[in-house]
Amino acid sequence: MEQVMLLGFWISPYVTRVKIALLEKGIKFQYKEVVDIFENLNKSHLLLRSNPIHEKVSVLIHNGKPICESLIILQYIDEIADCGRKMWVSKGEVQEGGKEEFRECLRLLENELGDKLYFEGDRFGLLDTALIPITCRFYTNDNICKFSVEYQCPRFM
Ligand SMILES: N[C@@H](CCC(=O)N[C@@H](CS)C(=O)NCC(=O)O)C(=O)O
C-alpha cells in the first residue's frame, strides 16, 4: 500500500505547487501542517527529522522516505506517474496504455514546438536539455517494448 504524506504550511507557494501536482495526478495523500511562520517558526519534530538541513516545507514522505525541495518533489511525482515506466516494465494493457500516453506527450510537445528550432525559439534552453534524452529514446523504445513513431520533421522536408 502506498503512503503519501505532505508536510506543509497553509500559505506556502512551495507547498501549494506540490498539492496541485498530487491532486492533478490523482494521488491520495495525507496533509500535515508542520510549521507556523507567524509563531516563532514553530516547527514540528517530524519536519526537523524529515528535512534536517533546511528545516523547510514542503516535504513529501513516500512510504516513510522524505523528499525535500518543491521542484525536486514535482519531478519525483512526475516520475512515479511516468508513462516510460509503464512502457518498459509492464506488459499487456498497462504497457499499451503507457505507449498511448507517451504518444500523447509527443504530440503535445510537437504542437508546442511548432516550427521553432527550440522551445524558446532560437535559443537552446533548460526544457530542451531536460526533454531530449527522454523524448528521443526511439531506438531503445523500439527494442524494449516495440514502440515506434512515424515521424517526419517538417523543418527538414
Ligand atoms: N526552495 C524551497 C523553499 C521552501 C521555503 O522557503 N519554505 C518556507 C515556507 S514558504 C519555509 O519552510 N520556511 C521556514 C524557514 O524559513 O525556516 C522549496 O522550493 O521547497
Side-chain angles (χ1 to χ4, degrees):
M1 203 171 83
E2 300 288 325
Q3 286 193 326
V4 180
M5 187 191 286
L6 175 63
L7 309 187
F9 175 55
W10 66 278
I11 206 171
S12 167
Y14 306 105
V15 176
T16 306
R17 55 162 66 136
V18 174
K19 273 187 196 160
I20 290 171
L22 290 167
L23 292 170
E24 281 293 328
K25 299 270 182 192
I27 298 172
K28 288 204 174 68
F29 66 100
Q30 190 192 344
Y31 175 75
K32 264 204 176 130
E33 195 81 2
V34 289
V35 57
D36 190 343
I37 301 224
F38 305 118
E39 279 296 327
N40 301 322
L41 283 176
N42 191 11
K43 295 178 181 179
S44 79
H45 288 297
L46 183 57
L47 173 61
L48 300 178
R49 211 169 352 109
S50 308
N51 189 355
I53 308 280
H54 298 296
E55 303 179 349
K56 289 184 176 183
V57 291
S58 52
V59 177
L60 188 79
I61 306 182
H62 183 198
N63 292 336
K65 295 183 194 136
I67 303 122
C68 307
E69 280 299 320
S70 58
L71 290 178
I72 305 286
I73 298 173
L74 295 185
Q75 189 182 341
Y76 180 79
I77 293 171
D78 239 42
E79 279 166 10
I80 55 172
D82 186 345
C83 50
R85 178 190 281 239
K86 284 186 210 153
M87 281 166 59
W88 283 19
V89 179
S90 313
K91 293 268 171 262
E93 251 176 59
V94 178
Q95 187 182 46
E96 291 310 312
K99 288 182 191 178
E100 198 37 53
E101 271 178 54
F102 187 53
R103 252 181 227 113
E104 196 47 49
C105 291
L106 293 176
R107 274 185 218 118
L108 197 119
L109 290 173
E110 270 305 309
N111 255 351
E112 196 53 44
L113 200 54
D115 52 11
K116 292 187 297 229
L117 199 50
Y118 303 114
F119 285 101
E120 290 178 24
D122 286 337
R123 208 169 63 133
F124 184 80
L126 178 66
L127 196 53
D128 304 287
T129 330
L131 290 175
I132 285 169
I134 298 172
T135 52
C136 297
R137 291 189 294 207
F138 297 120
Y139 175 82
T140 324
N141 281 335
D142 194 16
N143 275 277
I144 292 187
C145 60
K146 297 271 164 281
F147 175 89
S148 58
V149 280
E150 288 282 326
Y151 178 67
Q152 284 180 310
C153 178
R155 281 183 294 277
F156 301 114
M157 285 167 60

